[in-house]
Amino acid sequence: MMIKRTESAPGMGIRAYIALGLTVMTLLFTASFFYFMSMAREVSVSGTRTYGLFMTLAESDKLADSRNMTRLRDAESALAALPALTAKSAVPETSAALAELSAAIAELANSQPVTDEMLLQLRRTATLAHEFENRLLMGFLLLGAGLALLFGLLRLHLARPLQSIMVFLNQLGTGSTSQPPKHSFITELRNISAALENLGTYLSLATVRSQKLASEHDHFQKMSLVDGLTGVGNRRAFDDKLESLWLHALQTGTPLALIMLDVDTFKRYNDSLGHQAGDECLRRIAAAMSRAARSTDVCARYGGEEFALLLPGADAATAQAVAARVHAEVAREQLPHPSSPVGNMVTVSLGVSSHMPQEEQKEESQMLVRQTDSALYAAKAAGRNRTCVYGHIS
């Protein structure tokens, strides 16, 4: 049985598919990395600049406040010394102004911690911006490592097992010797591999059984075409060969000859010597006829004590020469036949005919059989132990 090999449809392998998906993910990952890193860098730089500018401004304000505090304290000292120099009637107003100035100085002194707190928060913000940049970089590195690990795991436990399964299925389809598919860590793929391995084992056993059945069929087919007693072809083999050789002769324009042999007075041989001796006689006659035949000739047992010899490409003269060799080989066997009216040894009668095929019909090939059988009848009627050629019968 011929297996039609189907061409695979154009597509993408599992490895290429996974590689393409991970390539797209890598590109997206790279674009996201540069985008977020750029944003983190801008935040970090902006925070650092803001902190630097505010710290400069705060230092400037602090320095100005310090100078103002010095001036105010000097003014407070001067105001405190005024009552001794001025009239006693202005003391209440001076004391009120001095109290107000002292309150302003205290308020100005208490506002400094707020500025320090803001500086502290801005510094912390700048530090967090730097840490965010570093942590974002570390996160992307971990994500990249995770993608690489994912690619390796998918290739090891998904792509390779699937590819080995496809190779195994292709080998099963072509009937070639196949290695079992690789096992995967994934349960479903492992179960599929095990099922395919069992299928391969079953198909191997089925193939062995099929080959054994085919061999036995060929053996029985050959046995059905062989005569069990003599080992030459049987009547069925003769009919098949006659038809095929007739067609070949018709196509090549060559003649086809036929020799038919009959053991003389074989019934008397069986009656006098027994059937076992008769069977042995037939075996030796078949062997003698086979020895006399050419390498291209086909020998068969036609029925009972009759044998036939098909001679492709032989004319009447060639077939007559082969018939003479058959007589000589039978004589060499020296088979005693005490009850024969022809002689003391077993003899045979032969009929010969050669014909150039003109038509393919089966009836045309049977005409060759009828002509040869007519020649055989003439040989037996003429006294046996002789050869008669059809068309030359006197």
Side-chain angles (χ1 to χ4, degrees), residues 153-165 168 179-198:
L153 291 176
L154 289 177
R155 183 176 181 181
L156 179 63
H157 296 293
L158 183 63
R160 286 186 178 179
L162 284 177
Q163 196 170 33
S164 67
I165 287 173
F168 181 77
Q179 296 293 331
K182 295 180 180 179
H183 292 285
S184 172
F185 181 77
I186 302 175
T187 304
E188 289 78 7
L189 289 179
R190 186 169 64 247
N191 294 337
I192 291 174
S193 299
L196 288 177
E197 191 171 352
N198 293 334

Side-chain angles (χ1 to χ4, degrees), residues 18-242:
I18 293 176
L20 177 62
L22 289 177
T23 301
V24 173
M25 292 177 63
T26 302
L27 292 175
L28 293 175
F29 162 78
T30 305
S32 301
F33 171 75
F34 283 108
Y35 174 76
F36 285 109
M37 286 299 296
S38 176
M39 185 173 64
R41 177 59 58 88
E42 290 179 1
V43 171
S44 176
V45 171
S46 177
T48 302
R49 288 179 178 177
T50 302
Y51 172 72
L53 292 174
F54 190 83
M55 186 173 66
T56 303
L57 179 62
E59 290 294 333
S60 177
D61 290 344
K62 188 175 181 180
L63 183 60
D65 290 343
S66 179
R67 288 198 295 269
N68 291 331
M69 286 289 295
T70 303
R71 292 174 181 174
L72 288 173
R73 292 189 184 280
D74 291 341
E76 182 182 15
S77 299
L79 287 175
L82 270 177
L85 300 176
T86 58
K88 295 183 179 179
S89 59
V91 173
E93 291 80 1
T94 303
S95 297
L98 185 61
E100 186 176 353
L101 181 61
S102 298
I105 292 173
E107 184 178 356
L108 184 62
N110 291 332
S111 64
Q112 187 64 34
V114 177
T115 303
D116 294 339
E117 183 67 21
M118 291 181 66
L119 284 173
L120 181 61
Q121 292 298 328
L122 283 175
R123 183 175 182 180
R124 184 176 180 185
T125 301
T127 304
L128 289 176
H130 284 292
E131 290 182 358
F132 173 73
E133 182 181 5
N134 294 332
R135 291 177 182 178
L136 185 63
L137 176 62
M138 182 60 66
F140 274 106
L141 289 177
L142 292 176
L143 182 58
L147 287 176
L149 179 61
L150 177 62
F151 175 76
L153 291 176
L154 289 177
R155 183 176 181 181
L156 179 63
H157 296 293
L158 183 63
R160 286 186 178 179
L162 284 177
Q163 196 170 33
S164 67
I165 287 173
M166 291 304 300
V167 171
F168 181 77
L169 289 175
N170 288 332
Q171 290 173 341
L172 283 182
T174 56
S176 59
T177 304
S178 56
Q179 296 293 331
K182 295 180 180 179
H183 292 285
S184 172
F185 181 77
I186 302 175
T187 304
E188 289 78 7
L189 289 179
R190 186 169 64 247
N191 294 337
I192 291 174
S193 299
L196 288 177
E197 191 171 352
N198 293 334
L199 177 61
T201 303
Y202 173 77
L203 290 179
S204 298
L205 294 175
T207 301
V208 172
R209 292 176 182 175
S210 177
Q211 292 174 349
K212 184 178 180 181
L213 289 175
S215 177
E216 291 177 353
H217 178 268
D218 292 340
H219 174 71
F220 287 124
Q221 185 73 16
K222 292 178 181 179
M223 290 296 293
S224 67
L225 299 176
V226 175
D227 180 62
L229 177 63
T230 61
V232 297
N234 57 16
R235 177 63 180 272
R236 179 183 174 186
F238 170 80
D239 292 338
D240 291 344
K241 279 295 182 180
L242 175 62

Side-chain angles (χ1 to χ4, degrees), residues 261-306:
L261 177 151
D262 182 78
V263 182
D264 294 332
T265 62
F266 185 69
K267 185 176 184 303
R268 293 186 181 184
Y269 188 91
N270 269 339
D271 293 341
S272 60
L273 299 178
H275 288 283
Q276 290 185 350
D279 292 343
E280 180 63 22
C281 174
L282 293 177
R283 281 192 287 266
R284 295 176 68 173
I285 293 296
M289 195 173 189
S290 299
R291 290 195 303 269
R294 304 174 304 171
S295 60
T296 56
D297 299 340
V298 178
C299 182
R301 186 181 179 186
Y302 193 76
E305 67 274 14
E306 290 188 2

